[in-house]
Amino acid sequence: MIDFSQIDTNVPMLESKGLCKYFGGLKAVDNVDMKIMPGDIFGIIGPNGAGKTTFFNMCTGMYTPTKGNVYLMGEDVTGLSAERVARKKMARTFQNLQLFKFMSVLDNVKIGCHIGTKTNMVDSIFHTKRYKQDEEYVVHKSEEILRAIGLYEYRDTMAGNLAYGMQRKVEIARALALEPYILLLDEPAAGMNPQEKEELMEFIKMLNDGGYTIAVIEHDMKFVMNSCNRILVLNFGQKICEGTPDQVKSDKQVHEAYFGKGIIAGEAVKVHG
Amino acid sequence: MEKAKDFYEKHKLIVYLILFAVSLVVPFVIEQALILRYICTIMMYATLAGSLNVINGYSGQTCLGQAGFFCIGAYTCAALTKNFGVSFWIVLPLAGILAALVGLLVSLPTLKLSGIYLSIVTLGASEIIRIIAQTWTPVTGGALGIKQIPYPNLFGLELFRPKYYYFIFLIIGVLFLFITSRVLRSRVGRAWMAIREDQVAAKSLGVETSRCKCTNFMYGAFWAGIIGAAYAPFVNYIESSQFTTDTGFNVLAMVVIGGQGTLLGPIIGSAIVTILTETLRFLENWRYVIYAIIIILMMWVRPQGLLGASDSILAGGKIRRKEKEQGGKKA
Ligand SMILES: Nc1ncnc2c1ncn2[C@@H]1O[C@H](COP(=O)(O)OP(=O)(O)OP(=O)(O)O)[C@@H](O)[C@H]1O
Ligand SMILES: [Mg+2]
């Protein structure tokens, strides 16, 4: 398993300072500071179009920020390409599923093992020791993850043929194969039925107990309020609150921007209380 | 199709042995030199189409300039063996390496491009290579080309009969298939396919897409160069008009008809196109109309090609849900 003991728990796992992303005149993300400490389950919430996904995209190197910086375990990773950031032990999933749809579930996860292996073309042609070790590792690792997430029996199914909720799980499995320290999940429960959601919540908590730091964008308030220890609220690209679930619930601005309007959200608060 | 696959899986060794025996016997059973030359041509194009397939079918880029790499291989061989008396066997890998280096050059500006832009760059590169071949008279013989390319020499035996080329192309083809299948079933090949399936996802998993695309291009160009080097003494005479973009599209047609992203597809495609070229010769230039119709029909009815799977991104990216299978497994 992953060795989490090397992580300095005093340094934020992921930190953003004054992060901005403008699309022309649209300020999708505007001056957002955030701190995720190691071991957090960190929730990011906000109405549709608040800039949550854009924020994730900047953290993971998919977008270059207009302004501001991103720090991963104290290291400035602003402007690094997505593949470089992935190598620094940050993995993610996508809101609108970016699976290798036409590949088997197992192959999807195998590709997640890319940076954990070193086989080059010569190794693969001559089946060198490194090739054999890598292939063994990849199969072992992938199957282990699939077992843990409950997808083992579907390993040979084409990923695109699975039900929507299960495809989300495949994405998480694939991200885990990177052996990340921090996992960014963009609406992982979207499209899942209540039972699947429940299971996913348990699984995320289990990962967190195992040492992973988790950042999760989620619309389901029950999920967020019950599972996250810290929450960031975005609205129109700006941070309106960051704190514990209780702080967020009692924040006036959050109520005005978010809870005040939504009945669903109001109920969620009750559920927790 | 499924049955054939099952049979192959079960009796791999037997299948290989039969194929081996048949391929050994062929040049001795078929006496007519002309037919043997056709078979050689099919095998040659099969490998050339296979090399293009590595780029188009496995990493999902659209290279239209395979004729250029083929051209480099052919001229490297012709110029070196004729002017400097270098042995064919040394030239063979050298031609591959040279083509791969040019492949790297071509792939560099294309890293930021994809789709139609990439295609145009490769097409342009292919034309530039051909025009250099046409113009650089001291080395390439200019418009006259290079005649009487020396035959390869194997322990004093001069290889000029079609029978010998049969074995040269067979060995190159088998080596290509063997090596390529190994590369594809490794981390390297998986990365290529990941790029084909979803580049954003591949990046998010730490796949260095730029580097992988470069190696992919170089790998495809390498084999095109090798096969070009074997082509030169086979036809004995090369000139730049043999390497126009028409040749490139011809090879592309083979890949598309046979099935991109499959190892066997280009072989079938090469056989079909080469046989059509020969049998439709009486139609003269009208046969190109027939090709065009076949390709259009193919794209329409079976975009994944004859051997391609219907469940693939190359089949137009539609997923057919197998509800039954899933329900069964769940229960
Ligand atoms: N590539 C882009 N180009 C232009 N505008 C964009 C781009 N990506 C996002 N936007 C805009 O930025 C704003 C924030 O979008 P974003 O996807 O980050 O919101 P979100 O909080 O994830 O919303 P949702 O809850 O619907 O997923 C939206 O107004 C969106 O239209
Ligand atoms: Mg979003």
Side-chain angles (χ1 to χ4, degrees):
Chain A
M1 278 320 268
I2 311 173
D3 182 13
F4 290 105
S5 62
Q6 295 175 1
I7 302 171
D8 183 348
T9 48
N10 297 317
V11 180
M13 179 58 80
L14 182 65
E15 186 178 11
S16 76
K17 282 187 186 156
L19 208 55
C20 302
K21 183 73 192 177
Y22 303 156
F23 294 111
L26 176 79
K27 295 184 171 177
V29 173
D30 194 16
N31 202 18
V32 172
D33 294 325
M34 177 202 65
K35 238 184 223 176
I36 302 178
M37 297 307 289
D40 278 355
I41 299 190
F42 192 94
I44 297 174
I45 59 171
N48 289 109
K52 306 179 293 293
T53 300
T54 308
F55 183 71
F56 262 19
N57 283 343
M58 282 191 284
C59 293
T60 52
M62 302 254 151
Y63 288 164
T64 319
T66 311
K67 256 189 272 171
N69 292 76
V70 180
Y71 302 89
L72 187 60
M73 288 176 279
E75 187 186 340
D76 191 348
V77 295
T78 322
L80 284 192
S81 64
E83 52 264 44
R84 296 274 296 281
V85 174
R87 275 162 196 273
K88 298 195 184 293
K89 307 248 171 230
M90 177 151 66
R92 70 169 294 175
T93 66
F94 297 87
Q95 181 174 358
N96 46 353
L97 288 173
Q98 305 258 20
L99 275 181
F100 305 120
K101 286 201 287 269
F102 298 98
M103 292 183 163
S104 72
V105 169
L106 185 64
D107 280 343
N108 266 273
V109 185
K110 275 183 174 180
I111 293 168
C113 298
H114 186 84
I115 57 180
T117 48
K118 287 204 163 56
T119 302
N120 60 28
M121 207 180 275
V122 177
D123 293 321
S124 69
I125 294 171
F126 296 104
H127 280 194
T128 60
K129 201 171 149 202
R130 180 151 70 178
Y131 167 86
K132 284 179 187 145
Q133 280 172 348
D134 275 356
E135 286 307 298
E136 203 175 306
Y137 164 83
V138 164
V139 172
H140 177 82
K141 177 93 199 160
S142 306
E143 293 191 343
E144 178 185 290
I145 293 172
L146 287 178
R147 267 199 203 94
I149 205 167
L151 283 172
Y152 187 72
E153 54 178 323
Y154 297 105
R155 65 190 180 285
D156 293 323
T157 311
M158 202 185 282
N161 280 334
L162 288 172
Y164 203 62
M166 285 210 258
Q167 294 192 23
R168 293 225 168 261
K169 280 194 188 172
V170 178
E171 253 200 10
I172 298 176
R174 197 178 64 177
L176 287 175
L178 254 80
E179 305 210 310
Y181 288 161
I182 176 167
L183 194 55
L184 307 190
L185 306 170
D186 196 343
E187 306 200 12
M192 288 189 173
N193 61 36
Q195 193 208 332
E196 282 178 318
K197 259 185 205 181
E198 195 70 33
E199 281 170 20
L200 181 72
M201 200 149 74
E202 285 308 310
F203 184 71
I204 290 175
K205 275 187 188 152
M206 196 190 85
L207 287 178
N208 184 249
D209 290 339
Y212 292 92
T213 307
I214 311 259
V216 54
I217 296 177
E218 188 47 64
H219 282 296
D220 188 327
M221 282 307 138
K222 189 175 150 206
F223 185 109
V224 174
M225 293 300 167
N226 293 342
S227 317
C228 300
N229 62 336
R230 287 186 71 78
I231 296 169
L232 167 75
V233 190
L234 294 179
N235 193 23
F236 294 115
Q238 283 173 336
K239 169 166 116 177
I240 52 178
C241 180
E242 182 182 353
T244 61
D246 289 325
Q247 283 171 329
V248 168
K249 269 184 280 186
S250 57
D251 189 279
K252 223 175 158 193
Q253 254 186 315
V254 176
H255 269 268
E256 275 168 19
Y258 205 122
F259 295 117
K261 293 170 198 159
I263 301 162
I264 311 160
E267 271 182 0
V269 178
K270 254 189 272 162
V271 165
H272 185 74
Chain B
M1 221 16 238
E2 287 297 309
K3 267 187 191 164
K5 230 180 199 167
D6 276 355
F7 183 82
Y8 169 76
E9 290 296 335
K10 267 185 211 146
H11 310 279
K12 250 185 194 167
L13 195 68
I14 299 177
V15 173
Y16 282 137
L17 278 179
I18 292 174
L19 281 178
F20 181 68
V22 170
S23 59
L24 275 191
V25 171
V26 163
F28 298 100
V29 175
I30 297 174
E31 301 264 291
Q32 300 96 320
L34 196 66
I35 296 187
L36 213 48
R37 280 191 79 85
Y38 287 158
I39 297 179
C40 287
T41 310
I42 291 176
M43 291 199 291
M44 183 199 87
Y45 276 120
T47 310
L48 185 58
S51 73
L52 176 65
N53 180 39
V54 171
I55 303 175
N56 287 15
Y58 283 102
S59 84
Q61 307 176 77
T62 327
C63 175
L64 300 180
Q66 207 67 358
F69 304 133
F70 183 53
C71 177
I72 291 173
Y75 273 97
T76 308
C77 175
L80 286 183
T81 53
K82 177 141 188 177
N83 301 340
F84 301 99
V86 185
S87 157
F88 172 79
W89 309 108
I90 295 174
V91 168
L92 205 57
L94 220 59
I97 292 168
L98 198 65
L101 289 177
V102 176
L104 175 64
L105 271 183
V106 175
S107 75
L108 285 181
T110 59
L111 289 180
K112 297 234 177 255
L113 308 172
S114 64
I116 187 84
Y117 304 102
L118 171 78
S119 316
I120 290 171
V121 170
T122 57
L123 197 61
S126 164
E127 267 305 89
I128 292 172
I129 292 166
R130 186 187 66 80
I131 291 168
I132 292 176
Q134 195 180 41
T135 327
W136 195 11
T137 313
V139 176
T140 64
L144 293 176
I146 301 178
K147 293 189 184 67
Q148 287 170 342
I149 297 160
Y151 294 113
N153 195 309
L154 189 66
F155 308 121
L157 178 70
E158 203 169 55
L159 306 180
F160 63 92
R161 286 179 208 283
K163 201 185 340 189
Y164 302 137
Y165 286 97
Y166 174 89
F167 285 110
I168 292 180
F169 286 124
L170 182 71
I171 290 169
I172 294 178
V174 168
L175 265 181
F176 167 76
L177 283 180
F178 177 73
I179 292 178
T180 305
S181 72
R182 281 202 160 183
V183 172
L184 290 174
R185 272 185 281 117
S186 76
R187 172 179 182 266
V188 180
R190 280 196 297 269
W192 290 347
M193 287 182 255
I195 293 171
R196 171 187 76 191
E197 297 289 317
D198 191 324
Q199 189 161 321
V200 172
K203 279 185 186 222
S204 84
L205 299 172
V207 177
E208 324 85 331
T209 49
S210 302
R211 219 173 78 200
C212 291
K213 282 194 216 169
C214 277
T215 47
N216 177 262
F217 240 88
M218 289 174 74
Y219 186 83
F222 176 79
W223 286 101
I226 293 228
I227 205 73
Y231 168 80
F234 173 62
V235 291
N236 197 233
Y237 162 57
I238 57 169
E239 49 125 356
S240 60
S241 73
Q242 295 163 353
F243 307 99
T244 57
T245 48
D246 285 356
T247 311
F249 281 114
N250 221 5
V251 176
L252 183 69
M254 295 171 186
V255 179
V256 170
I257 290 173
Q260 301 184 63
T262 62
L263 279 177
L264 289 184
I267 301 175
I268 305 286
S270 163
I272 291 175
V273 172
T274 310
I275 290 170
L276 275 182
T277 309
E278 292 313 324
T279 50
L280 298 180
R281 214 170 259 288
F282 69 94
L283 289 176
E284 290 169 17
N285 281 343
W286 284 99
R287 64 191 154 150
Y288 293 112
V289 178
I290 305 224
Y291 286 163
I293 293 175
I294 291 179
I295 291 179
I296 291 170
L297 277 180
M298 206 65 206
M299 280 309 199
W300 194 14
V301 184
R302 238 186 121 75
Q304 70 273 32
L306 287 176
L307 295 190
S310 51
D311 283 345
S312 94
I313 202 160
L314 301 161
K318 272 183 244 106
I319 282 271
R320 285 184 305 136
R321 278 213 165 194
K322 291 181 194 151
E323 299 293 349
K324 250 190 194 163
E325 183 186 312
Q326 241 193 58
K329 268 191 181 165
K330 243 182 186 171

